[in-house]
PDB file of all heavy atoms in Angstrom:
ATOM      1  N   ALA A 101       3.958  35.637 -18.758  1.00 51.00           N
ATOM      2  CA  ALA A 101       4.669  34.381 -18.753  1.00 51.00           C
ATOM      3  C   ALA A 101       4.431  33.646 -17.470  1.00 51.00           C
ATOM      4  O   ALA A 101       4.181  32.463 -17.381  1.00 51.00           O
ATOM      5  CB  ALA A 101       6.173  34.679 -18.968  1.00 51.00           C
ATOM      6  N   ALA A 102       4.628  34.367 -16.362  1.00 49.00           N
ATOM      7  CA  ALA A 102       4.376  33.813 -15.086  1.00 49.00           C
ATOM      8  C   ALA A 102       2.903  33.307 -14.899  1.00 49.00           C
ATOM      9  O   ALA A 102       2.616  32.215 -14.446  1.00 49.00           O
ATOM     10  CB  ALA A 102       4.638  34.887 -13.990  1.00 49.00           C
ATOM     11  N   LEU A 107      -0.946  28.745 -14.730  1.00 45.00           N
ATOM     12  CA  LEU A 107      -2.128  28.054 -15.348  1.00 45.00           C
ATOM     13  C   LEU A 107      -1.710  26.631 -15.887  1.00 45.00           C
ATOM     14  O   LEU A 107      -2.429  25.631 -15.623  1.00 45.00           O
ATOM     15  CB  LEU A 107      -2.681  28.859 -16.583  1.00 45.00           C
ATOM     16  CG  LEU A 107      -3.617  30.143 -16.122  1.00 45.00           C
ATOM     17  CD1 LEU A 107      -3.896  30.880 -17.297  1.00 45.00           C
ATOM     18  CD2 LEU A 107      -4.770  29.538 -15.413  1.00 45.00           C
ATOM     19  N   GLN A 110      -1.295  24.330 -12.924  1.00 46.00           N
ATOM     20  CA  GLN A 110      -2.592  23.934 -12.457  1.00 46.00           C
ATOM     21  C   GLN A 110      -3.291  22.844 -13.285  1.00 46.00           C
ATOM     22  O   GLN A 110      -3.950  21.966 -12.814  1.00 46.00           O
ATOM     23  CB  GLN A 110      -3.494  25.161 -12.297  1.00 46.00           C
ATOM     24  CG  GLN A 110      -3.021  26.211 -11.181  1.00 46.00           C
ATOM     25  CD  GLN A 110      -2.894  25.623  -9.895  1.00 46.00           C
ATOM     26  OE1 GLN A 110      -3.741  24.964  -9.344  1.00 46.00           O
ATOM     27  NE2 GLN A 110      -1.631  25.692  -9.335  1.00 46.00           N
ATOM     28  N   LEU A 134     -12.759   1.990   1.132  1.00 95.00           N
ATOM     29  CA  LEU A 134     -13.880   1.221   0.487  1.00 95.00           C
ATOM     30  C   LEU A 134     -14.488   0.245   1.478  1.00 95.00           C
ATOM     31  O   LEU A 134     -15.664   0.066   1.507  1.00 95.00           O
ATOM     32  CB  LEU A 134     -13.535   0.644  -0.820  1.00 95.00           C
ATOM     33  CG  LEU A 134     -12.909   1.549  -1.873  1.00 95.00           C
ATOM     34  CD1 LEU A 134     -12.465   0.584  -2.999  1.00 95.00           C
ATOM     35  CD2 LEU A 134     -13.953   2.519  -2.284  1.00 95.00           C
ATOM     36  N   GLU A 137     -12.089  -5.226   6.785  1.00 95.00           N
ATOM     37  CA  GLU A 137     -12.188  -6.549   7.206  1.00 95.00           C
ATOM     38  C   GLU A 137     -11.416  -6.755   8.554  1.00 95.00           C
ATOM     39  O   GLU A 137     -10.184  -6.664   8.453  1.00 95.00           O
ATOM     40  CB  GLU A 137     -11.796  -7.544   6.160  1.00 95.00           C
ATOM     41  CG  GLU A 137     -11.847  -8.960   6.462  1.00 95.00           C
ATOM     42  CD  GLU A 137     -11.224  -9.917   5.515  1.00 95.00           C
ATOM     43  OE1 GLU A 137     -10.640  -9.348   4.462  1.00 95.00           O
ATOM     44  OE2 GLU A 137     -11.162 -11.097   5.673  1.00 95.00           O
ATOM     45  N   ALA A 144      -6.791  -5.154  11.237  1.00 94.00           N
ATOM     46  CA  ALA A 144      -7.713  -5.247  10.074  1.00 94.00           C
ATOM     47  C   ALA A 144      -7.149  -5.010   8.742  1.00 94.00           C
ATOM     48  O   ALA A 144      -6.053  -4.461   8.613  1.00 94.00           O
ATOM     49  CB  ALA A 144      -8.801  -4.154  10.375  1.00 94.00           C
ATOM     50  N   PHE A 146      -7.612  -3.080   5.336  1.00 96.00           N
ATOM     51  CA  PHE A 146      -8.267  -1.802   4.858  1.00 96.00           C
ATOM     52  C   PHE A 146      -8.124  -1.829   3.318  1.00 96.00           C
ATOM     53  O   PHE A 146      -7.070  -1.788   2.738  1.00 96.00           O
ATOM     54  CB  PHE A 146      -7.603  -0.538   5.465  1.00 96.00           C
ATOM     55  CG  PHE A 146      -7.758  -0.506   6.969  1.00 96.00           C
ATOM     56  CD1 PHE A 146      -6.963  -1.173   7.753  1.00 96.00           C
ATOM     57  CD2 PHE A 146      -8.822   0.201   7.437  1.00 96.00           C
ATOM     58  CE1 PHE A 146      -7.200  -1.058   9.110  1.00 96.00           C
ATOM     59  CE2 PHE A 146      -9.074   0.277   8.850  1.00 96.00           C
ATOM     60  CZ  PHE A 146      -8.136  -0.381   9.667  1.00 96.00           C
ATOM     61  N   LEU A 157      -2.018   0.634  -8.605  1.00 94.00           N
ATOM     62  CA  LEU A 157      -1.203   1.382  -7.620  1.00 94.00           C
ATOM     63  C   LEU A 157       0.085   1.732  -8.142  1.00 94.00           C
ATOM     64  O   LEU A 157       0.603   2.961  -7.965  1.00 94.00           O
ATOM     65  CB  LEU A 157      -1.048   0.590  -6.322  1.00 94.00           C
ATOM     66  CG  LEU A 157      -0.504   1.384  -5.181  1.00 94.00           C
ATOM     67  CD1 LEU A 157      -1.270   2.578  -4.830  1.00 94.00           C
ATOM     68  CD2 LEU A 157      -0.339   0.327  -3.973  1.00 94.00           C
ATOM     69  N   PRO A 160       6.132  -1.662  -7.348  1.00 91.00           N
ATOM     70  CA  PRO A 160       6.841  -2.840  -7.711  1.00 91.00           C
ATOM     71  C   PRO A 160       6.877  -3.720  -6.375  1.00 91.00           C
ATOM     72  O   PRO A 160       6.698  -3.361  -5.272  1.00 91.00           O
ATOM     73  CB  PRO A 160       8.185  -2.341  -8.069  1.00 91.00           C
ATOM     74  CG  PRO A 160       8.215  -0.928  -7.790  1.00 91.00           C
ATOM     75  CD  PRO A 160       6.930  -0.393  -7.417  1.00 91.00           C
ATOM     76  N   SER A 163       8.118  -3.281  -2.152  1.00 92.00           N
ATOM     77  CA  SER A 163       7.952  -1.787  -2.013  1.00 92.00           C
ATOM     78  C   SER A 163       6.816  -1.470  -1.059  1.00 92.00           C
ATOM     79  O   SER A 163       5.984  -2.280  -0.743  1.00 92.00           O
ATOM     80  CB  SER A 163       7.691  -1.104  -3.282  1.00 92.00           C
ATOM     81  OG  SER A 163       8.722  -1.489  -4.298  1.00 92.00           O
ATOM     82  N   PRO A 188      -7.543  -4.308 -10.663  1.00 96.00           N
ATOM     83  CA  PRO A 188      -7.188  -2.853 -10.469  1.00 96.00           C
ATOM     84  C   PRO A 188      -8.285  -2.114  -9.736  1.00 96.00           C
ATOM     85  O   PRO A 188      -9.335  -2.589  -9.439  1.00 96.00           O
ATOM     86  CB  PRO A 188      -7.045  -2.376 -11.928  1.00 96.00           C
ATOM     87  CG  PRO A 188      -7.958  -3.287 -12.762  1.00 96.00           C
ATOM     88  CD  PRO A 188      -7.951  -4.650 -11.995  1.00 96.00           C
ATOM     89  N   PHE A 191      -6.390  -1.091  -3.360  1.00 97.00           N
ATOM     90  CA  PHE A 191      -5.347  -1.780  -2.767  1.00 97.00           C
ATOM     91  C   PHE A 191      -5.592  -1.974  -1.307  1.00 97.00           C
ATOM     92  O   PHE A 191      -6.346  -1.340  -0.860  1.00 97.00           O
ATOM     93  CB  PHE A 191      -3.829  -0.996  -3.004  1.00 97.00           C
ATOM     94  CG  PHE A 191      -3.851   0.271  -2.248  1.00 97.00           C
ATOM     95  CD1 PHE A 191      -3.268   0.450  -1.106  1.00 97.00           C
ATOM     96  CD2 PHE A 191      -4.370   1.513  -2.780  1.00 97.00           C
ATOM     97  CE1 PHE A 191      -3.205   1.572  -0.355  1.00 97.00           C
ATOM     98  CE2 PHE A 191      -4.282   2.627  -2.206  1.00 97.00           C
ATOM     99  CZ  PHE A 191      -3.667   2.714  -0.959  1.00 97.00           C
ATOM    100  N   VAL A 194      -2.862  -4.179   5.596  1.00 95.00           N
ATOM    101  CA  VAL A 194      -3.066  -4.860   6.865  1.00 95.00           C
ATOM    102  C   VAL A 194      -2.486  -3.923   7.952  1.00 95.00           C
ATOM    103  O   VAL A 194      -1.242  -3.759   7.852  1.00 95.00           O
ATOM    104  CB  VAL A 194      -2.579  -6.353   6.874  1.00 95.00           C
ATOM    105  CG1 VAL A 194      -2.745  -6.898   8.259  1.00 95.00           C
ATOM    106  CG2 VAL A 194      -3.337  -7.090   5.806  1.00 95.00           C
ATOM    107  N   GLU A 205      -4.082   4.108  15.011  1.00 90.00           N
ATOM    108  CA  GLU A 205      -5.442   4.604  15.478  1.00 90.00           C
ATOM    109  C   GLU A 205      -6.158   5.311  14.496  1.00 90.00           C
ATOM    110  O   GLU A 205      -7.426   5.212  14.394  1.00 90.00           O
ATOM    111  CB  GLU A 205      -5.386   5.295  16.789  1.00 90.00           C
ATOM    112  CG  GLU A 205      -4.865   4.425  17.997  1.00 90.00           C
ATOM    113  CD  GLU A 205      -4.893   5.080  19.344  1.00 90.00           C
ATOM    114  OE1 GLU A 205      -5.137   6.252  19.373  1.00 90.00           O
ATOM    115  OE2 GLU A 205      -4.703   4.336  20.314  1.00 90.00           O
ATOM    116  N   PRO A 214     -16.672   5.928   0.275  1.00 64.00           N
ATOM    117  CA  PRO A 214     -16.124   6.078  -0.933  1.00 64.00           C
ATOM    118  C   PRO A 214     -15.921   7.536  -1.667  1.00 64.00           C
ATOM    119  O   PRO A 214     -14.978   7.740  -2.326  1.00 64.00           O
ATOM    120  CB  PRO A 214     -16.998   5.240  -1.978  1.00 64.00           C
ATOM    121  CG  PRO A 214     -17.616   4.256  -1.055  1.00 64.00           C
ATOM    122  CD  PRO A 214     -17.801   5.017   0.243  1.00 64.00           C
ATOM    123  N   THR A 229      11.941  -1.004  -1.418  1.00 85.00           N
ATOM    124  CA  THR A 229      12.804  -1.398  -0.338  1.00 85.00           C
ATOM    125  C   THR A 229      13.936  -2.338  -0.918  1.00 85.00           C
ATOM    126  O   THR A 229      15.120  -2.183  -0.587  1.00 85.00           O
ATOM    127  CB  THR A 229      12.015  -2.295   0.591  1.00 85.00           C
ATOM    128  OG1 THR A 229      10.921  -1.402   1.002  1.00 85.00           O
ATOM    129  CG2 THR A 229      12.862  -2.540   1.925  1.00 85.00           C
ATOM    130  N   TYR A 232      13.590  -6.568  -6.346  1.00 88.00           N
ATOM    131  CA  TYR A 232      13.609  -8.138  -6.500  1.00 88.00           C
ATOM    132  C   TYR A 232      13.616  -8.377  -7.991  1.00 88.00           C
ATOM    133  O   TYR A 232      12.866  -7.911  -8.830  1.00 88.00           O
ATOM    134  CB  TYR A 232      12.280  -8.774  -5.885  1.00 88.00           C
ATOM    135  CG  TYR A 232      12.299 -10.261  -6.202  1.00 88.00           C
ATOM    136  CD1 TYR A 232      13.166 -11.046  -5.511  1.00 88.00           C
ATOM    137  CD2 TYR A 232      11.468 -10.722  -7.049  1.00 88.00           C
ATOM    138  CE1 TYR A 232      13.193 -12.516  -5.840  1.00 88.00           C
ATOM    139  CE2 TYR A 232      11.400 -12.049  -7.456  1.00 88.00           C
ATOM    140  CZ  TYR A 232      12.348 -12.975  -6.698  1.00 88.00           C
ATOM    141  OH  TYR A 232      12.327 -14.285  -7.065  1.00 88.00           O
ATOM    142  N   LEU A 242      13.031 -15.983   4.694  1.00 94.00           N
ATOM    143  CA  LEU A 242      12.260 -14.884   5.139  1.00 94.00           C
ATOM    144  C   LEU A 242      11.827 -15.022   6.659  1.00 94.00           C
ATOM    145  O   LEU A 242      11.348 -16.108   6.986  1.00 94.00           O
ATOM    146  CB  LEU A 242      10.920 -14.858   4.284  1.00 94.00           C
ATOM    147  CG  LEU A 242      11.131 -14.946   2.725  1.00 94.00           C
ATOM    148  CD1 LEU A 242       9.725 -15.002   2.054  1.00 94.00           C
ATOM    149  CD2 LEU A 242      11.856 -13.764   2.213  1.00 94.00           C
ATOM    150  N   ILE A 249       4.673  -9.702   8.307  1.00 91.00           N
ATOM    151  CA  ILE A 249       4.189 -10.732   7.281  1.00 91.00           C
ATOM    152  C   ILE A 249       3.964  -9.927   6.015  1.00 91.00           C
ATOM    153  O   ILE A 249       4.062 -10.494   4.872  1.00 91.00           O
ATOM    154  CB  ILE A 249       3.169 -11.567   7.746  1.00 91.00           C
ATOM    155  CG1 ILE A 249       2.971 -12.759   6.835  1.00 91.00           C
ATOM    156  CG2 ILE A 249       1.918 -10.843   7.861  1.00 91.00           C
ATOM    157  CD1 ILE A 249       4.035 -13.749   6.785  1.00 91.00           C
ATOM    158  N   THR A 250       3.490  -8.666   5.987  1.00 90.00           N
ATOM    159  CA  THR A 250       3.043  -8.033   4.725  1.00 90.00           C
ATOM    160  C   THR A 250       4.067  -7.927   3.665  1.00 90.00           C
ATOM    161  O   THR A 250       3.692  -8.354   2.509  1.00 90.00           O
ATOM    162  CB  THR A 250       2.356  -6.719   5.083  1.00 90.00           C
ATOM    163  OG1 THR A 250       3.279  -5.868   5.686  1.00 90.00           O
ATOM    164  CG2 THR A 250       1.044  -6.956   5.903  1.00 90.00           C
ATOM    165  N   TYR A 253       4.586 -11.469   2.392  1.00 92.00           N
ATOM    166  CA  TYR A 253       3.491 -12.057   1.619  1.00 92.00           C
ATOM    167  C   TYR A 253       3.521 -11.499   0.197  1.00 92.00           C
ATOM    168  O   TYR A 253       3.192 -12.119  -0.801  1.00 92.00           O
ATOM    169  CB  TYR A 253       2.209 -11.607   2.382  1.00 92.00           C
ATOM    170  CG  TYR A 253       0.934 -12.070   1.736  1.00 92.00           C
ATOM    171  CD1 TYR A 253       0.704 -13.392   1.597  1.00 92.00           C
ATOM    172  CD2 TYR A 253      -0.013 -11.166   1.156  1.00 92.00           C
ATOM    173  CE1 TYR A 253      -0.472 -13.929   0.883  1.00 92.00           C
ATOM    174  CE2 TYR A 253      -1.153 -11.648   0.489  1.00 92.00           C
ATOM    175  CZ  TYR A 253      -1.369 -12.938   0.389  1.00 92.00           C
ATOM    176  OH  TYR A 253      -2.590 -13.459  -0.231  1.00 92.00           O
ATOM    177  N   ASN A 262       4.855 -16.356 -10.730  1.00 96.00           N
ATOM    178  CA  ASN A 262       5.856 -16.337 -11.958  1.00 96.00           C
ATOM    179  C   ASN A 262       6.246 -17.769 -12.158  1.00 96.00           C
ATOM    180  O   ASN A 262       7.218 -18.272 -11.467  1.00 96.00           O
ATOM    181  CB  ASN A 262       6.918 -15.387 -11.787  1.00 96.00           C
ATOM    182  CG  ASN A 262       7.827 -15.349 -13.012  1.00 96.00           C
ATOM    183  OD1 ASN A 262       7.722 -16.110 -13.934  1.00 96.00           O
ATOM    184  ND2 ASN A 262       8.796 -14.435 -13.018  1.00 96.00           N
ATOM    185  N   GLU A 284      -3.920 -15.778   7.720  1.00 83.00           N
ATOM    186  CA  GLU A 284      -3.960 -17.247   7.923  1.00 83.00           C
ATOM    187  C   GLU A 284      -4.701 -17.906   6.804  1.00 83.00           C
ATOM    188  O   GLU A 284      -4.157 -18.969   6.346  1.00 83.00           O
ATOM    189  CB  GLU A 284      -4.762 -17.496   9.221  1.00 83.00           C
ATOM    190  CG  GLU A 284      -4.575 -19.011   9.665  1.00 83.00           C
ATOM    191  CD  GLU A 284      -5.064 -19.171  11.041  1.00 83.00           C
ATOM    192  OE1 GLU A 284      -5.721 -18.262  11.654  1.00 83.00           O
ATOM    193  OE2 GLU A 284      -4.833 -20.288  11.537  1.00 83.00           O
TER     194      GLU A 284
END
Side-chain angles (χ1 to χ4, degrees):
L107 280 173
Q110 296 303 304
L134 302 177
E137 175 191 359
F146 295 84
L157 189 57
S163 301
F191 67 98
V194 172
E205 287 190 355
T229 309
Y232 176 75
L242 311 172
I249 190 67
T250 59
Y253 182 65
N262 182 351
E284 191 170 11

